[in-house]
Amino acid sequence: MANYEVTVKHDELAFAGTRNRIFIKLVGTDGESKRTWLHTYMGLLNIDKLPVKCPVSIGKLILIELDKQHFLVKDSWFPAKVVVKSPEGHTYNFPIYSWITDSEVHGFREGTGLWKCNFLTSCMLFTDYMRYKKDKFCKEDNKEAGQELKQRDKEYRWHVYAKGIPDYMKADSFFDLPSDIHFSFTKDVEFVYTLESGLIELELEGLVDSREKWHHVAAISQVFPVRRTDISDYVQQHLRDDDFFGYQFLNGVNPMVIKRCSALPDNFPVTDEMVFPGDQFSLADEMKGNIFLCDYKHLDGVTANTNTVTKQYLAAPLVLLHKTPEDKLMPIAIRLKQTPAEDNPIFLPTDSEYDWLTAKIFVRSADFNVHQLNSHLLRTHLFAEVFAVSLLRSVPSVHPLYKLLIPHTPDTLQINYLAQHRLISETGVFSEFASSGGEGLVTLLQRSMSSVTYSSLCIPDDIAERGLEDVPNFYYRDDGLRLWDIIRR
């Protein structure tokens, strides 16, 4: 008697268990097992070492067949994978990671990746006992990828958001999302808890729908006092400091704009007298490696949002920074609009305290909007969705490329659906309250998209093109290159 040990492993997807009867059949190169009842209740816990007995060994396992028969109730089941240990001591993994909703028999291949040309080869491994099934298996193998992709074509459909912006997956409601891409149970709980606890804190502080003016920046400490950290306290204490303002371009939320400057733009004509009034440095000398520029030209002419409360404003600044001998990055000049004019002065650290502070606040606002819509929404969420949907529509699950890439896509499509409907829709939070919401959102996305290059998505190339290879205290670069090297290897 050949005894096989079957372990059913589950993911943390919400409601992934089933109360139905589960049956399995093992198929190998030398035969197949009888259809065997595994269990009646499959919760989220792993079910270990369930026995499947065969008169003799059935050779190398190729696939398993699973079916779920209704018992008292009709429900769905989401197994992660099935692991089978053979009497010879070999372990076979059968990844599933999909919902089983009906009572049909579903076949799942062993997890070893196969190129399409290997499908027929794997069929030809069957012995005389299996040859009567050879045609069936060969046809299924050769058609399996096509059938799988046809089904995915129906589930993962492209939708145009706006011209010049990446397409995304069409879903008219949450229930249109394929069940395979829903959040895990842990992610669902975490998501809801974070949202609800934040709203409760705002309610307790009396800030929900508050229309009271803040007369000092320190009033921000009223928001989420329970969530204060050493970093948030430091930021609040050093918000006005020029060296911290400069530091944020390297290690703040958006280290993607700054670049080394070897020649001043025509619309930013600063002089030595303006930026180095004590004759301590000269622009000609410092421009050889110590001057940096942040240019927010994509915001030029973008229509600022008007919400139910007030008209909002957007600047399109240019910021010049100087790396001091102490390796601090200090702002030395700011212009808030791209076109020189009498009402568009160049602000300097020698200006009055509040003129200089106001200029820096407008820069921070611009940086926030570019970060949210370009670095975050476009280059993170929307690009990730393009790759995820393309992968699901184009590559069958048995393919090695699919196995390599699919672990990088969890939660992408559901979180993007939530962003599309709760953040950037007409009634979304970003559209309602951000200065680049509404009409400006689409304009900025289109401009950002038109400027994307392949090399800008590759950290080593991007760092080199911006001339930031040797800038000190650039931790985004240091950590990013280490991660890039791990992924590349």
Side-chain angles (χ1 to χ4, degrees), residues 124-388:
M124 300 307 293
L125 293 175
F126 287 100
T127 60
D128 290 342
Y129 174 78
M130 292 296 291
R131 278 191 182 128
Y132 78 96
K133 285 192 173 182
K134 185 183 71 173
D135 288 341
K136 171 190 172 185
F137 278 104
C138 287
K139 289 176 182 177
E140 285 183 358
D141 279 341
N142 287 324
K143 291 182 178 179
E144 180 183 356
Q147 291 173 344
E148 183 179 18
L149 295 181
K150 283 182 180 178
Q151 180 59 34
R152 292 204 198 135
D153 279 347
K154 298 176 182 178
E155 295 178 339
Y156 301 95
R157 297 163 292 162
W158 290 113
H159 180 72
V160 178
Y161 177 76
K163 185 179 179 180
I165 296 174
D167 294 352
Y168 59 80
M169 189 185 76
K170 181 177 177 57
D172 296 326
S173 71
F174 176 81
F175 300 102
D176 282 347
L177 295 176
S179 52
D180 292 351
I181 63 171
H182 286 181
F183 285 163
S184 67
F185 178 74
T186 301
K187 179 75 174 182
D188 257 333
V189 172
E190 177 190 3
F191 199 85
V192 172
Y193 171 77
T194 302
L195 177 63
E196 294 299 327
S197 61
L199 291 174
I200 290 172
E201 278 188 59
L202 288 174
E203 187 74 47
L204 291 174
E205 294 298 319
L207 294 174
V208 175
D209 295 328
S210 174
R211 295 293 184 266
E212 294 183 15
K213 292 183 178 181
W214 289 358
H215 298 285
H216 196 280
V217 72
I220 200 172
S221 60
Q222 300 174 40
V223 183
F224 301 126
V226 178
R227 297 167 191 262
R228 286 177 54 188
T229 65
D230 291 340
I231 292 177
S232 67
D233 287 344
Y234 183 91
V235 170
Q236 185 173 330
Q237 294 164 11
H238 297 274
L239 194 64
R240 297 167 179 249
D241 299 352
D242 282 359
D243 58 344
F244 184 64
F245 177 82
Y247 174 87
Q248 286 181 289
F249 290 108
L250 294 176
N251 300 303
V253 295
N254 190 30
M256 310 303 296
V257 178
I258 186 171
K259 63 180 181 180
R260 187 170 256 120
C261 179
S262 57
L264 290 173
D266 293 338
N267 57 348
F268 206 13
V270 301
T271 64
D272 284 349
E273 292 74 19
M274 295 168 66
V275 295
F276 300 128
D279 295 328
Q280 185 178 1
F281 305 100
S282 74
L283 272 173
D285 291 338
E286 296 306 296
M287 203 77 75
K288 296 176 181 178
N290 292 329
I291 300 296
F292 298 84
L293 177 69
C294 296
D295 189 349
Y296 296 90
K297 58 186 177 183
H298 286 159
L299 289 169
D300 187 31
V302 173
T303 302
N305 198 10
T306 300
N307 60 25
T308 55
V309 179
T310 183
K311 173 81 172 92
Q312 300 187 54
Y313 299 91
L314 273 173
L318 296 118
V319 184
L320 208 63
L321 301 120
H322 175 230
K323 183 177 76 69
T324 69
E326 296 79 30
D327 287 337
K328 290 184 177 182
L329 203 60
M330 304 291 286
I332 55 176
I334 294 173
R335 169 163 262 170
L336 295 181
K337 294 185 285 187
Q338 294 284 312
T339 305
E342 289 186 7
D343 63 347
N344 183 24
I346 294 176
F347 293 91
L348 305 168
T350 52
D351 290 338
S352 70
E353 175 186 0
Y354 288 103
D355 282 352
W356 182 238
L357 179 61
T358 301
K360 290 193 294 182
I361 289 173
F362 269 101
V363 171
R364 280 279 150 252
S365 172
D367 192 68
F368 163 81
N369 285 284
V370 169
H371 164 249
Q372 283 295 321
L373 293 181
N374 184 358
S375 306
H376 187 183
L377 176 60
L378 176 67
R379 291 172 176 253
T380 303
H381 286 275
L382 299 186
F383 276 16
E385 180 154 354
V386 168
F387 285 108

Side-chain angles (χ1 to χ4, degrees), residues 26-61:
L26 310 180
V27 179
T29 55
D30 297 338
E32 61 184 32
S33 73
K34 292 182 178 180
R35 177 173 174 267
T36 304
W37 174 41
L38 282 183
H39 219 269
T40 299
Y41 174 69
M42 290 279 180
L44 285 179
L45 298 177
N46 296 332
I47 309 297
D48 290 325
K49 297 181 180 179
L50 301 170
V52 174
K53 297 181 180 181
C54 298
V56 294
S57 172
I58 58 176
K60 180 181 178 181
L61 296 188

